[in-house]
Amino acid sequence: MKKIIFCLTLIALAAGASAQDRIALGLKAGFNSTKINLSDVPDNTTIKNEAKSGFLFGAYGRIRLVGSLSFQPEMYYAKKKSNANGMIGDNSFNNNVTYHTWDIPLLANLQLIDLKILKIYGVAGPVASFNAKTTSDLPTLEDLDKTNWTLQAGLGAEVWRLTADFRYEWGIKDISKAQVGQKTDVLTFSLGYKLFGI
């Protein structure tokens, strides 16, 4: 019995060590700059969109697939802001919108340069975004879809357990039920800390 327990313990330790060679888990936080673009602006309407700053925090994982290619799922909470102002006929308006989302990027991570101390990588993939809360100066624009899809791509660097990356995210579907063609453009900068793994 002791031999069986000893063998199982060795197998579990070997499996754990093998998994750590292929899997990583870390925390991340950062800032975003969000702009909502309106593609279907009504006649007699002039709109200027301005990006506003927000933040994000959450966690990321990394699973090595083959060679320098890894799968990098993430989940983070994000607060995003945007401003639109202009004229509707003879009436001016200024609308600030803030929306809180849970974002789940499903990214491919490709290591481009490995200098041992410094690693440079690229990431790209789809993002599922779940709307938690929205506030707007124009209540009709608070009725956002509960789920939104975007694409994300960027570059990053890793030194020891620390990571830093810049990403651009663009919407592939309207975020609002209002018929004005709202899509998001988001620029993010984040810092990460790897808890364990590759």
Side-chain angles (χ1 to χ4, degrees), residues 124-192:
V127 181
S129 184
F130 301 94
N131 183 34
K133 179 184 177 183
T134 304
T135 57
S136 171
D137 295 337
L138 299 177
T140 56
L141 297 183
E142 292 182 6
D143 190 17
L144 300 186
D145 288 339
K146 293 299 183 184
T147 304
N148 183 37
W149 285 93
T150 63
L151 293 174
Q152 196 176 87
L155 289 172
E158 180 176 333
V159 179
W160 186 59
R161 292 179 176 271
L162 302 177
T163 62
D165 62 42
F166 285 95
R167 300 179 193 174
Y168 181 72
E169 181 180 318
W170 59 97
I172 56 178
K173 68 180 290 289
D174 292 348
I175 64 172
S176 173
K177 297 175 183 177
Q179 301 301 309
V180 289
Q182 295 187 82
K183 291 185 174 68
T184 55
D185 286 332
V186 184
L187 183 65
T188 66
F189 169 71
S190 64
L191 296 174

Side-chain angles (χ1 to χ4, degrees), residues 29-35 51-57 76-82 99-101 103 152 167 169 185-190:
F31 300 94
N32 60 50
S33 177
T34 304
K35 183 177 180 181
K52 305 284 280 186
S53 297
F55 63 84
L56 63 92
F57 62 88
Y76 53 79
Y77 172 83
K79 181 179 181 180
K80 305 170 187 174
K81 298 180 179 180
S82 185
Y99 57 111
H100 308 257
T101 62
D103 293 347
Q152 196 176 87
R167 300 179 193 174
E169 181 180 318
D185 286 332
V186 184
L187 183 65
T188 66
F189 169 71
S190 64

